[in-house]
Amino acid sequence: MTLFLLRRLLQTVNVLFIMSLLVFVGIYAVGNPLDMLVDPQATRADVARVAAALGLDQPVWVQYGRFLANALRGDLGNSFLHGTPALQLILQRLPATLELAVSALLIAVLLGIPLGLWAGLRPDSASGKTIMAGSILGFSLPTFWVGLMLIMVFSVYLGWLPSGGRGPTREVLGMHWSLLGAEGWRHVLLPALNLALFKLALVIRLTQSGTREALLQDYVRFARAKGLAPRRIVGVHVLKNIMIPVITVVGLEFGTLIAFSVVTESIFAWPGIGKLLLDSITLLDRPVVVAYLLLIVLIYTLISLVVDVLYAALDPRVRLAGGQAA
Amino acid sequence: MPQHTSSPRRSPRLPRLLLGALLAGALLPAWAADLRIGLSSDVTSLDPHFVNIAPNIAFSDHIFDTLVKSDAKGKLVPGLAESWRALSPTTWEFKLRQGVVFSDGTPLTAEDVVFSLDRPATIQNSPGPFTSYTNQIVKKEAIDAHTVHLHTASAYGPLPLDLISIYVVSKKAAENATTEDFNTGKALIGTGPFKFAAFRKGESIEVTRNERHWGKRPEWDKVSFRILASGAPRLSALLAGDVDVIENVPAADLARLKTNSQVTLAQHTTWRTLFWQLDQFRDQSPFVTDHAGKPLDKNPLKDLRVRQAISKAINRQALVDRSLEGLAVPASNINAPGIFGYNDAIKVDAYDPEGARKLLAEAGYPDGFSLTIHGTNNRYINDEQVVQTVAQFLNRVGIRTKVDTQPVATYFGKARAHEYSFALLGWGSLAADFTLRSIAGTPNPDTGWGTWNWGKYSNPKVDELVAGALAAVEPAERERLAREAAGVALTDLAVIPSHHQLATWALRKGFAYDGRIDEFTFAHEIRSVR
């Protein structure tokens, strides 16, 4: 186990290093932020002063070297546009994205597993067929369109829910959270539903096919033959066995929920990190883009680590050995 | 998307009727005193001297004042300075308004003004400093509490214009303040119509009325700004009643909004003028070839007749009506009408494809040539369509034109490196001599001339007139020279003017705004109407 964790840690550091290099060189190639930001009437002296202050007068490898040296000390640089540390800027917005992603995940899991189970147990019933047909819609409708429709119906026509934004926040542990009050839940409902739709469809289909497969397995037949109550067969034997693929997928999808909530965030004016990333890319705010992507890589690796550990807990056959870790 | 014309909002109706009947008198004033605005770009910092970008400046104007202000039409009007005049070509005297106090109660003095003019040069790590507006001042003197003398190294006429960009902060509050102190509101002490209440970065800003403000009292007790960067959510926030006013209405939705009785639109011609910059310095331009794709032996864009032919080939009225959906007016100048130095003797070039072909033949290109034109696809109103439309017009007169559009982040860098032959640029400025210096002045990075002259146009006569205008401290003389310079540059087609953009605001019923030439959304200029 320790060896497994160590190995994982080393891999993470490697990935972070490669990622930082790719992103840094990539965004360097896109354009020079000075062209976007320095006053057009500025003289050469002015431009040179700004370039020197921001370190943009150096060749790219010197800039990267400086970045790396600072990063090792935990300093990912200051946002050009905001004038505050890039990491702090992202961490300030992270709670908003986390709240959105967790809410979406809860919707996907709490609705998806029961619905998928139902459809798996009664594949030929009208309700089962309806669920499966509905899940196809969840896959195929584009997020931005569904988001706009949700706003049109629930905010513009009915006026039940706010059209966007996050509602009032409360400070806990130095971060601002909105889901501590009813107003926050009103605000998160539409964007979370929008973000959850695709994952919901995914969970339904995974659970449904897993259930159908499990029902044909020998252990289910034996359990039936033994006279176990159907409730126990489904609740313990079937459910536990179909959870492994579901957990894998949900775990990885949680990463994408955080990293790619951009569309939902911009439709619902949700002040999360996705929106920050978009703004930063358009204005070439290099430090923020680099810091953001590094953070996402870190989150991804952590999530897959958690998934691996959960695996071992669910399936005793899986061992977190040093050599052949999953 | 479904139609959303005059849908009944906010059920249920019965309680609403009751409320309306019983409490209208009591509720209306409270409702009317709050204003919620949806902004289209993020305010990155509340420090008014940190970075020179439009959203930050627009916000600063609510909290702070400048010595000289520009009104909605772009004319200079007194701000904190009651009057100003040039004592000599290099010395300006600004007389401060009497009895102005900051929102914390301390009176405004010449010390605060001098401090505010010094401050932009002390800001560290700003990617877009305000120093280009203060560089000209070599010495600042507080003569008495209400008189400031500013000295420039050489005669410099646009000094009052420069000062509309420098906000006056309280020396007491800002002296040792960091950017963070501004964002928390601690150092955000100004003389403007509002004072700071709350800031949630990337999300919202709230301000309340500054009862100590010297000028016209704004109608609103409280104003909240929400950052709604994408067009569709901004519009839906307005339709859902979550905000009262939005700026930068998405062009595609305008036609439908016009039929919505719950919404009124406000439009204003803006300073943003779009024009084409042509390579006028290379003998062989990279994107100009013969029809077989081989380089030409000389650069046709250097020939005035070719430039005239191109200008005549563009049907600006059709461009504006179709590709821009009426959100622009055809341009003859590189500044909007009414702006200092606008030359109204120059008329919009009439659409004349026959004349264009004749001119091309005269210049030795009876069969035209091949050209790739460049533009942005995320910067100006319908910019990609504009580039495509102009390519079609050029095709009609025999110039086989290809189109390449890019996001502005990559486009500007390449354009500034003079990589293109024929490229679109939009420019907003409140004085023609300023625009000409940057766009048509012979490039000289040391002096800041021709910094955005992508085609490296160079004409000694224009340079001389612009230099004369910039050195004229007498406004009438300066305007005469600026107008003449514009006339010379435009007759020579230093650039080919295309159109002036309009800006559009959408307001819920009960609110009114006249719009501004500088595209800013000012809460203190929004009114309630019955």
Side-chain angles (χ1 to χ4, degrees):
Chain A
M1 181 79 178
T2 322
L3 192 63
F4 167 79
L5 286 178
L6 267 178
R7 196 179 274 261
R8 264 310 176 77
L9 195 69
L10 211 67
Q11 276 174 2
T12 307
V13 171
N14 255 334
V15 172
L16 281 175
F17 173 74
I18 294 168
M19 189 70 185
S20 72
L21 188 66
L22 285 178
V23 174
F24 202 90
V25 173
I27 192 146
Y28 181 87
V30 169
N32 185 347
L34 293 183
D35 289 328
M36 302 280 301
L37 295 169
V38 176
D39 181 78
Q41 290 164 9
T43 59
R44 197 207 298 261
D46 260 338
V47 179
R49 199 174 60 91
V50 173
L54 299 176
L56 295 172
D57 53 341
Q58 302 293 324
V60 62
W61 54 271
V62 175
Q63 290 187 33
Y64 181 69
R66 282 187 190 173
F67 163 79
L68 211 57
N70 288 332
L72 289 177
R73 287 186 279 115
D75 173 12
L76 293 178
N78 273 6
S79 155
F80 295 156
L81 273 175
H82 296 80
T84 46
L87 195 60
Q88 179 198 330
L89 204 62
I90 294 168
L91 290 179
Q92 274 172 358
R93 305 234 191 158
L94 194 60
T97 297
L98 282 179
E99 283 182 341
L100 182 61
V102 169
S103 315
L105 195 72
L106 284 180
I107 293 177
V109 170
L110 295 184
L111 285 180
I113 293 180
L115 285 176
L117 210 55
W118 182 271
L121 293 172
R122 289 176 176 69
D124 297 319
S125 68
S127 53
K129 282 182 174 159
T130 314
I131 292 172
M132 294 317 286
S135 75
I136 292 176
L137 281 185
F139 272 123
S140 45
L141 293 178
T143 313
F144 72 91
W145 184 82
V146 175
L148 289 175
M149 288 305 114
L150 287 174
I151 294 177
M152 289 319 287
V153 173
F154 291 101
S155 307
V156 178
Y157 286 124
L158 299 172
W160 291 349
L161 293 167
S163 66
R166 199 175 160 220
T169 54
R170 246 181 265 171
E171 194 173 331
V172 176
L173 302 173
M175 286 185 169
H176 293 269
W177 306 90
S178 70
L179 294 189
L180 301 172
E183 197 52 29
W185 284 101
R186 262 167 49 82
H187 278 83
V188 84
L189 199 61
L190 286 185
L193 192 64
N194 184 223
L195 191 60
L197 214 57
F198 186 87
K199 317 292 170 200
L200 176 63
L202 194 66
V203 172
I204 288 178
R205 295 195 86 84
L206 269 175
T207 316
Q208 190 254 7
S209 63
T211 310
R212 292 190 69 177
E213 208 181 301
L215 286 178
L216 301 175
Q217 300 287 320
D218 288 344
Y219 65 82
V220 174
R221 284 194 214 160
F222 280 120
R224 280 218 187 102
K226 220 167 96 182
L228 285 185
R231 198 195 186 105
R232 189 169 164 81
I233 298 176
V234 173
V236 176
H237 298 282
V238 173
L239 204 57
K240 203 168 175 184
N241 278 286
I242 60 171
M243 277 328 262
I244 289 180
V246 172
I247 282 183
T248 318
V249 171
V250 163
L252 290 177
E253 291 294 321
F254 184 61
T256 61
L257 279 178
I258 294 175
F260 302 114
S261 56
V262 181
V263 177
T264 299
E265 282 185 10
S266 70
I267 293 173
F268 289 90
W270 188 262
I273 48 178
K275 210 158 142 278
L276 178 70
L277 176 74
L278 273 192
D279 293 349
S280 305
I281 291 178
T282 10
L283 288 165
L284 296 175
D285 199 340
R286 226 178 268 173
V288 179
V289 179
V290 176
Y292 171 87
L293 289 169
L294 290 183
L295 192 73
I296 291 297
V297 170
L298 196 65
I299 290 177
Y300 253 94
T301 39
L302 283 181
I303 289 173
S304 66
L305 183 68
V306 171
V307 169
D308 285 345
V309 173
L310 274 181
Y311 253 18
L314 271 179
D315 188 344
R317 288 169 301 177
V318 176
R319 289 224 177 84
L320 298 178
Q324 55 277 17
Chain B
M1 277 213 287
Q3 295 287 313
H4 34 71
T5 46
S6 60
S7 59
R9 279 196 334 97
R10 303 266 183 237
S11 49
R13 260 173 231 168
L14 189 63
R16 210 167 83 155
L17 278 177
L18 281 175
L19 272 183
L22 297 173
L23 299 166
L27 279 182
L28 263 177
W31 166 81
D34 284 3
L35 175 67
R36 300 158 303 164
I37 300 178
L39 298 178
S40 62
S41 2
D42 196 5
V43 177
T44 65
S45 169
L46 302 191
D47 182 339
H49 301 141
F50 177 62
V51 53
N52 179 14
I53 52 175
N56 291 18
I57 296 170
F59 173 74
S60 294
D61 213 87
H62 291 85
I63 306 288
F64 299 100
D65 287 302
T66 48
L67 287 178
V68 182
K69 284 174 166 280
S70 82
D71 67 9
K73 305 272 168 216
K75 290 266 169 295
L76 298 190
V77 293
L80 291 178
E82 214 164 39
S83 65
W84 56 90
R85 66 196 169 113
L87 300 175
S88 76
T90 57
T91 311
W92 289 79
E93 180 179 81
F94 288 83
K95 283 277 183 199
L96 301 189
R97 211 173 273 279
Q98 300 283 336
V100 176
V101 290
F102 284 99
S103 57
D104 65 351
T106 39
L108 167 88
T109 68
E111 288 295 324
D112 297 302
V113 173
V114 171
F115 171 77
S116 302
L117 291 171
D118 281 335
R119 192 163 175 270
T122 65
I123 303 282
Q124 296 298 312
N125 294 331
S126 165
F130 282 88
T131 44
S132 28
Y133 306 113
T134 57
N135 274 343
Q136 302 289 339
I137 308 166
V138 289
K139 195 169 134 210
K140 309 157 189 105
E141 281 180 290
I143 301 298
D144 60 46
H146 292 92
T147 312
V148 180
H149 282 185
L150 300 178
H151 302 267
T152 55
S154 54
Y156 184 65
L159 188 72
L161 178 56
D162 277 351
L163 293 181
I164 71 168
S165 301
I166 303 295
Y167 287 97
V168 175
V169 299
S170 151
K171 184 178 179 184
K172 194 177 103 187
E175 201 159 26
N176 297 310
T178 60
T179 300
E180 199 49 42
D181 290 333
F182 278 92
N183 289 345
T184 57
K186 199 178 129 209
L188 220 55
I189 305 294
T191 55
F194 295 96
K195 52 188 187 177
F196 174 81
F199 177 38
R200 291 201 281 163
K201 208 172 228 176
E203 194 176 352
S204 65
I205 312 177
E206 276 160 37
V207 297
T208 55
R209 183 168 46 221
N210 175 11
E211 301 293 350
R212 293 184 162 121
H213 178 53
W214 55 272
K216 191 166 171 282
R217 188 172 186 265
E219 253 181 73
W220 318 108
D221 296 325
K222 199 177 129 211
V223 180
S224 48
F225 300 92
R226 273 185 53 197
I227 313 294
L228 298 164
S230 322
R234 189 161 63 247
L235 188 59
S236 40
L238 181 85
L239 294 174
D242 292 341
V243 294
D244 304 311
V245 179
I246 59 168
E247 60 182 12
N248 213 342
V249 180
D253 295 302
L254 272 178
R256 227 167 3 145
L257 275 182
K258 279 183 186 149
T259 62
N260 187 334
S261 63
Q262 299 300 309
V263 172
T264 52
L265 295 175
Q267 283 192 321
H268 201 290
T269 316
T270 69
W271 56 1
R272 201 174 298 273
T273 301
L274 278 88
F275 47 83
W276 295 94
Q277 294 223 37
L278 281 55
D279 180 351
Q280 299 185 48
F281 72 103
R282 273 175 288 223
D283 287 327
Q284 287 188 334
S285 197
F287 292 100
V288 183
T289 62
D290 65 10
H291 292 318
K294 293 201 183 65
L296 295 171
D297 50 354
K298 59 181 192 240
N299 175 359
L301 301 176
K302 277 184 162 181
D303 189 324
L304 175 61
R305 289 168 299 185
V306 173
R307 298 202 295 274
Q308 284 168 337
I310 290 172
S311 184
K312 281 181 194 297
I314 300 172
N315 185 346
R316 292 176 177 78
Q317 195 58 51
L319 177 79
V320 161
D321 291 342
R322 305 282 166 75
S323 305
L324 287 150
E325 299 170 63
L327 290 175
V329 288
S332 62
N333 273 238
I334 46 175
N335 286 99
I339 281 190
F340 187 88
Y342 182 83
N343 191 328
D344 41 21
I346 307 271
K347 300 291 176 215
V348 177
D349 254 337
Y351 176 52
D352 178 12
E354 271 317 304
R357 274 195 211 100
K358 213 173 285 169
L359 279 165
L360 281 175
E362 254 175 60
Y365 303 96
D367 300 322
F369 48 89
S370 282
L371 176 69
T372 303
I373 64 176
H374 289 83
T376 51
N377 54 21
N378 62 352
R379 177 82 171 180
Y380 313 110
I381 300 174
N382 293 357
D383 41 7
E384 193 161 11
Q385 289 94 310
V386 167
V387 180
Q388 282 163 352
T389 310
V390 167
Q392 290 304 318
F393 285 134
L394 296 183
N395 273 322
R396 278 194 204 168
V397 299
I399 303 174
R400 281 193 211 155
T401 310
K402 285 200 243 36
V403 166
D404 183 1
T405 59
Q406 293 174 18
V408 65
T410 54
Y411 178 78
F412 274 176
K414 290 186 186 161
R416 294 195 72 182
H418 312 285
E419 283 183 22
Y420 301 139
S421 296
F422 194 105
L424 183 70
L425 174 63
W427 199 261
S429 167
L430 289 179
D433 48 357
F434 266 175
T435 310
L436 288 165
R437 180 179 63 177
S438 306
I439 303 297
T442 304
N444 180 351
D446 289 327
T447 57
W449 278 65
T451 43
W452 284 65
N453 183 350
W454 297 343
K456 293 199 190 173
Y457 171 81
S458 174
N459 182 341
K461 181 75 184 150
V462 172
D463 288 351
E464 187 194 319
L465 285 166
V466 172
L470 293 173
V473 291
E474 170 57 44
E477 170 71 357
R478 186 180 149 223
E479 180 148 27
R480 186 185 67 75
L481 288 166
R483 195 175 285 150
E484 199 183 330
V488 174
L490 291 165
T491 314
D492 199 22
L493 289 175
V495 298
I496 294 178
S498 178
H499 57 272
H500 310 292
Q501 283 188 1
L502 301 185
T504 312
W505 289 264
L507 305 96
R508 287 197 326 127
K509 213 172 166 180
F511 296 87
Y513 189 49
D514 294 333
R516 287 182 63 88
I517 198 164
D518 47 26
E519 304 171 0
F520 292 143
T521 307
F522 287 164
H524 36 291
E525 291 177 5
I526 295 173
R527 312 177 300 277
S528 66
V529 284
R530 286 290 145 82

